[in-house]
Amino acid sequence: MKRSKYFTRFLILIIVLMTVGCDQVSKELTRQKVEPEAYIPVIKNHLILTNVENTGAMLGFGQDFPPILKRFLLQALPMLLLLIMLYRIISKPNLNLLLVSAFALVIGGGLGNLIDRIAYGSVTDFFQIRLGFFRTGIFNIADIAVTIGVLMFVFLIIRGKKLAI
């Protein structure tokens, strides 16, 4: 059974809006309720809640770049790439649903962090995982969405699915 292009577009819209919404609400709650650089154990010392403003990209990369380069690399270029991705998945209604969902998560997460960069000049990060020697950087809901989307994409490639995008 062939699915409607409207169903695919609706699915993309729902995933992107839910991702951006959850991300922005969680960041706003963090900004309002958690002191900057607080250390709040949520699950013993394994899941930490904090409030850190990241003016760079992942793990602070690019934090010290000149403002014009930061604006290009962390705002203009991501916006262009997100729009290209969105156009590509909307214009091809018969893509694998997992692939569409993966890209929608990446787009939603990317938009969530882009909104922060444009509105605040930094991205609010607030979670950290610590399991023995394993420690993550500090991250947010948008980062989780992007990571899950990329992992889904890798899973589809490993499974050998045809991914004509």
Side-chain angles (χ1 to χ4, degrees):
M1 185 172 96
K2 194 172 183 178
R3 96 181 159 262
S4 156
K5 68 179 177 183
Y6 299 109
F7 173 79
T8 302
R9 290 176 179 167
F10 180 73
L11 178 67
I12 293 165
L13 182 67
I14 291 298
I15 292 172
V16 169
L17 290 178
M18 286 182 63
T19 302
V20 170
C22 289
D23 177 64
Q24 290 300 301
V25 167
S26 64
K27 288 173 179 174
E28 187 57 34
L29 284 171
T30 299
R31 285 192 283 276
Q32 290 178 10
K33 305 284 186 191
V34 180
E35 291 293 320
E37 301 192 30
Y39 180 94
I40 304 168
V42 176
I43 300 173
K44 296 188 179 182
N45 274 337
H46 304 302
L47 178 63
I48 310 303
L49 183 63
T50 187
N51 179 353
V52 175
E53 293 300 321
N54 182 357
T55 59
M58 187 175 90
L59 302 174
F61 172 77
Q63 235 169 313
D64 299 323
F65 285 176
I68 190 76
L69 185 58
K70 268 171 94 166
R71 213 170 257 121
F72 175 75
L73 289 177
L74 302 180
Q75 291 179 17
L77 188 59
M79 177 66 83
L80 178 65
L81 293 174
L82 291 171
L83 288 172
I84 290 169
M85 272 196 290
L86 185 59
Y87 171 76
R88 296 291 293 178
I89 64 171
I90 285 177
S91 66
K92 297 189 181 252
N94 294 321
L95 291 174
N96 176 304
L97 273 181
L98 276 178
L99 181 64
V100 168
S101 301
F103 276 112
L105 283 168
V106 171
I107 292 165
L111 282 175
N113 281 339
L114 192 57
I115 289 167
D116 273 22
R117 287 186 208 294
I118 293 168
Y120 303 103
S122 63
V123 174
T124 302
D125 291 329
F126 51 88
F127 282 133
Q128 184 178 38
I129 297 172
R130 297 177 176 188
L131 296 170
F133 66 89
F134 175 77
R135 291 180 182 211
T136 65
I138 302 170
F139 58 94
N140 57 44
I141 302 296
D143 299 333
I144 294 169
V146 169
T147 301
I148 290 171
V150 168
L151 290 174
M152 288 170 66
F153 183 72
V154 168
F155 171 76
L156 289 168
I157 290 172
I158 291 170
R159 274 193 49 211
K161 288 285 182 185
K162 187 176 178 185
L163 303 177
I165 23 184

